[in-house]
Amino acid sequence: MTQFKLPQAGTIEISPSILSADFAKLAAEIADVEAAGVKMLHLDIMDGHFVPNITFGPPIVAKLRKCSNLVFDTHLMITDPEKYAPRFIEAGSDHITFHIETVSDPVAFVEHLHSLGVTCGVTLNPETPVETIEAVAPLCDMVLVMTVHPGFGGQKFIDEAARKCTRIRQIVGDSVRIEVDGGVDPTTTPTVIEYGADTLVAGNAIFGQADRTAAINAIKNAYPTN
Ligand code: DX5
Ligand code: ZN
């Protein structure tokens, strides 16, 4: 059973993506953002099939679990999430996000993930229409809107993809988080929040900077309410 819970909707949260961190010293990298006060950590899992890149699997997640109390926001960019999600949960993932393009019965999969004690999210690629997630999105705890083509950090933000947040917010209401992933930085933050996002994944904008606390504060200072 998962230890750490996705913060309830209603707050803006930052989920730093370790894809842009130094993989040779991950524990220290994570401690750095944890000390800066974030609650979530975004783990990008890539299998070389669904996306043209490979990252890491459950054994690394299990090791990281021992050195962090952050909510492990696990983004599965893999062709077979139904097979591997239980292994990530066993390793310490608190939240599982799967791609709508990879699952034949998303409603059943969401129910299964909830029965395993985790929160879950459904995500869609920049070119995937919102209609594909319309039925399952209200059952999820979060919808993840890809604002770059998945596979690599440091890509340019796709505004047209981010605009989908507005329609998704109409579908899910206020109790489901909307996360944006790709090219989120202090410049694009006001835009995504205006579109209805409340959960901001940032890789390069945090781990690509020398001072992670300053980088996180720069994003926070870009919230339109501040
Ligand atoms: C891309 C990943 C992202 C990535 C974002 O496939 O899903 O989480 O780390 O990186 P930035 O914030 O650098 O665009
Ligand atoms: Zn991601």
Side-chain angles (χ1 to χ4, degrees):
M1 184 62 89
T2 167
Q3 242 180 310
F4 306 101
K5 294 280 174 221
L6 185 73
Q8 274 201 331
T11 57
I12 297 174
E13 302 293 343
I14 297 172
S15 192
S17 164
I18 60 169
L19 192 61
S20 295
D22 183 342
F23 275 53
K25 47 173 187 174
L26 271 182
E29 295 280 79
I30 294 168
D32 216 3
V33 293
E34 199 157 352
V38 298
K39 300 190 183 111
M40 300 170 63
L41 190 72
H42 190 81
L43 307 180
D44 284 307
I45 311 299
M46 306 185 186
D47 65 352
H49 292 276
F50 182 66
V51 288
N53 199 2
I54 298 174
T55 54
F56 53 92
I60 303 263
V61 175
K63 288 290 184 191
L64 297 180
R65 182 73 288 169
K66 290 186 169 37
C67 49
S68 172
N69 290 332
L70 295 175
V71 175
F72 279 2
D73 166 24
T74 311
H75 178 190
L76 300 183
M77 285 165 276
I78 64 177
T79 51
D80 199 349
E82 285 153 306
K83 179 173 177 187
Y84 291 102
R87 299 206 203 162
F88 283 97
I89 295 167
E90 209 175 312
S93 288
D94 305 293
H95 174 92
I96 298 285
T97 294
F98 63 93
H99 273 258
I100 193 69
E101 301 89 353
T102 63
V103 172
S104 58
D105 188 345
V107 170
F109 189 41
V110 163
E111 284 167 358
H112 183 57
L113 288 169
H114 281 154
S115 78
L116 296 175
V118 291
T119 51
C120 68
V122 64
T123 185
L124 69 182
N125 277 338
E127 67 279 7
T128 305
V130 172
E131 291 68 48
T132 59
I133 61 156
E134 205 163 343
V136 73
L139 308 174
C140 295
D141 307 278
M142 192 161 88
V143 174
L144 168 56
V145 176
M146 289 306 303
T147 44
V148 297
H149 294 284
F152 300 91
Q155 301 182 75
K156 193 175 177 305
F157 177 78
I158 305 171
D159 184 77
E160 204 184 325
R163 282 174 195 269
K164 287 192 264 188
C165 292
T166 309
R167 172 78 191 113
I168 293 168
R169 185 55 80 197
Q170 289 171 345
I171 294 168
V172 301
D174 290 335
S175 58
V176 174
R177 285 192 169 277
I178 300 180
E179 185 177 53
V180 280
D181 186 3
V184 176
D185 61 20
T187 309
T188 52
T189 289
T191 306
V192 295
I193 291 179
E194 190 192 318
Y195 292 158
D198 55 17
T199 312
L200 314 177
V201 175
N204 192 53
I206 294 175
F207 285 109
Q209 314 302 313
D211 184 339
R212 280 66 185 274
T213 302
I216 289 166
N217 286 338
I219 295 172
K220 285 186 181 166
N221 289 335
Y223 295 174
T225 46
N226 282 1

